Structures are given as C-alpha cells and as structure tokens.
C-alpha cells in the first residue's frame, strides 16, 4: 500500500486530493508506457476520488474531476 493511500485513509480531508493526483499521474505514466489497461484502472480510481472531492467542493475540485473524466475516457 502506498503512502498516499495510507494517509488518505487516516485523514481524507487532508490527503485524498494528494492520492487522487498521484493516481492521475500514475495513469498518465502507465498509458505512456503502453500499459493502458493498468492506467485506466488508476484513472478510474482517481475519478472516483475527484467525484467525492467535487461533491464537497465543486469550485476547488471540479476542474480536476473533469480532467480525470477526460483521462478515463
């Protein structure tokens, strides 16, 4: 389990955005190396987290949610 996931589970208000961003970066990297299916799994998880974050604060996380939806498409 990576450190972002552990921190997000312990304190989601503080660390869930970091986990979502890390998953987005991982998805981009995996896609760039030809590992599209693995990248899609990471992108879908990032999208779930950004959706949760945007429900609580659309102004802050709405654009991140849109980017993650574009990545997962």
């Amino acid at each position: 389990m990576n450190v972002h996931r552990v921190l997000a589970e312990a304190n989601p208000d503080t660390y869930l955005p970091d986990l979502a961003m890390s998953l987005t970066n991982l998805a981009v990297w995996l896609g760039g190396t030809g590992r599209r299916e693995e990248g899609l799994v990471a992108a879908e998880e990032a999208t779930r987290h950004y959706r949760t974050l945007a429900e609580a604060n659309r102004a802050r996380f709405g654009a991140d949610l849109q980017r993650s939806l574009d990545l997962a498409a």
Side-chain angles (χ1 to χ4, degrees), residues 21-68:
M21 181 177 57
S22 293
L23 288 164
T24 299
N25 291 340
L26 177 62
V28 170
W29 182 82
L30 287 168
T33 62
R35 297 164 61 184
R36 292 188 46 80
E37 288 192 27
E38 291 172 272
L40 181 58
V41 170
E44 288 172 342
E45 184 178 351
T47 299
R48 285 193 305 274
H49 294 313
Y50 278 128
R51 187 170 280 123
T52 298
L53 292 163
E55 286 173 1
N57 188 339
R58 173 78 53 190
R60 181 168 176 207
F61 296 107
D64 294 322
L65 173 59
Q66 185 58 52
R67 278 191 293 276
S68 71

Side-chain angles (χ1 to χ4, degrees), residues 2 4-5 8 15-24 45-46 49:
N2 77 34
H4 289 102
R5 193 176 307 282
Y15 294 107
L16 190 57
D18 295 333
L19 175 59
M21 181 177 57
S22 293
L23 288 164
T24 299
E45 184 178 351
H49 294 313

